[in-house]
Amino acid sequence: MEGGSFGAGRAGAALDPVSFARRPQTLLRVASWVFSIAVFGPIVNEGYVNADSGPELRCVFNGNAGACRFGVALGLGAFLACSCFLLLDVRFQQISSVRDRRRAVLLDLGFSGLWSFLWFVGFCFLTNQWQRTAPGPGTAQAGDAARAVITFSFFSILSWVALTVKALQRFRLGTDMSLFATEQLGAGAGQTYPGYPVGSGVEGTDTYQSPPFTETLDTSPKGGEEQFPWSKVQFSSVAQLCPTL
């Protein structure tokens, strides 16, 4: 599908599931989707442990509840975004409007860039809080979950940066209008239009004829005799009847 409109082929063309599943963009979205689950899942299940001083629960990352909430929000947002963008990739080839395709690619580019930055911030924040966490029974119990969250946060940075690069490549690819207009415009661009066929009802200049009766029509009469031929007959009759005159 290279060379198409923003990385996609002709609008309305059938989608090949095998080629779609092998696309780097699809693999990156699936990987980011899995990494997001690996981030917010451990925090929800094992991210809160009992405090040493009482029965209340505290966040495993240095007791900072904001760190746990930030990790859950970041992972859950990435999970929902990957699901939505994956569905958009499936339906992207059915979008016939070039303007709508451009908006979809810009949305993908902007969100991927933003989430790449947030994953970097989250990775640094969670790593810093984990380094400051004092050892204890609860920390030892949830230590593996905390390290898993930090590890997949780092992997998420890589996957979302790769998604940003892919979206940027699709945007730079732009619109190849030949897929939409070449077949309609190019078919008649190098052809000459034939003339009117014989008998089509439209005559050329070579077959023009003068209007009828122009040769026999006398437009300039020369005298009264030609105009009034009965006058000669009338005077001849009078001369015969009156010869003495």
Side-chain angles (χ1 to χ4, degrees), residues 132-155:
R132 295 182 178 183
T133 302
T139 303
Q141 180 182 356
D144 294 338
R147 285 186 287 269
V149 169
I150 295 174
T151 301
F152 285 104
S153 296
F154 176 76
F155 290 157

Side-chain angles (χ1 to χ4, degrees), residues 18-35:
V18 177
S19 61
F20 176 78
R22 293 178 178 178
R23 290 173 55 189
Q25 184 175 352
T26 303
L27 297 177
L28 288 172
R29 292 206 191 280
V30 174
S32 300
W33 185 75
V34 174
F35 295 160

Side-chain angles (χ1 to χ4, degrees), residues 178 181-191:
S178 61
T182 298
E183 293 185 355
Q184 290 77 14
L185 300 179
Q191 299 180 359

Side-chain angles (χ1 to χ4, degrees), residues 171-193:
F171 180 75
R172 287 182 175 180
L173 185 61
T175 305
D176 184 5
M177 295 304 297
S178 61
L179 290 178
F180 298 89
T182 298
E183 293 185 355
Q184 290 77 14
L185 300 179
Q191 299 180 359
T192 58
Y193 293 97

Side-chain angles (χ1 to χ4, degrees), residues 44-98:
V44 173
N45 293 328
E46 303 179 22
Y48 294 90
V49 295
N50 293 326
D52 297 336
S53 58
E56 68 274 4
L57 297 178
R58 56 188 293 270
C59 179
V60 69
F61 292 99
N62 197 27
N64 189 347
C68 289
R69 286 195 296 265
F70 184 77
V72 171
L74 194 59
L76 187 59
F79 173 81
L80 296 177
C82 288
S83 302
C84 293
F85 280 113
L86 191 60
L87 293 177
L88 181 61
D89 291 340
V90 174
R91 301 292 300 175
F92 188 80
Q93 197 160 320
Q94 306 300 322
I95 301 176
S96 59
S97 174
V98 178

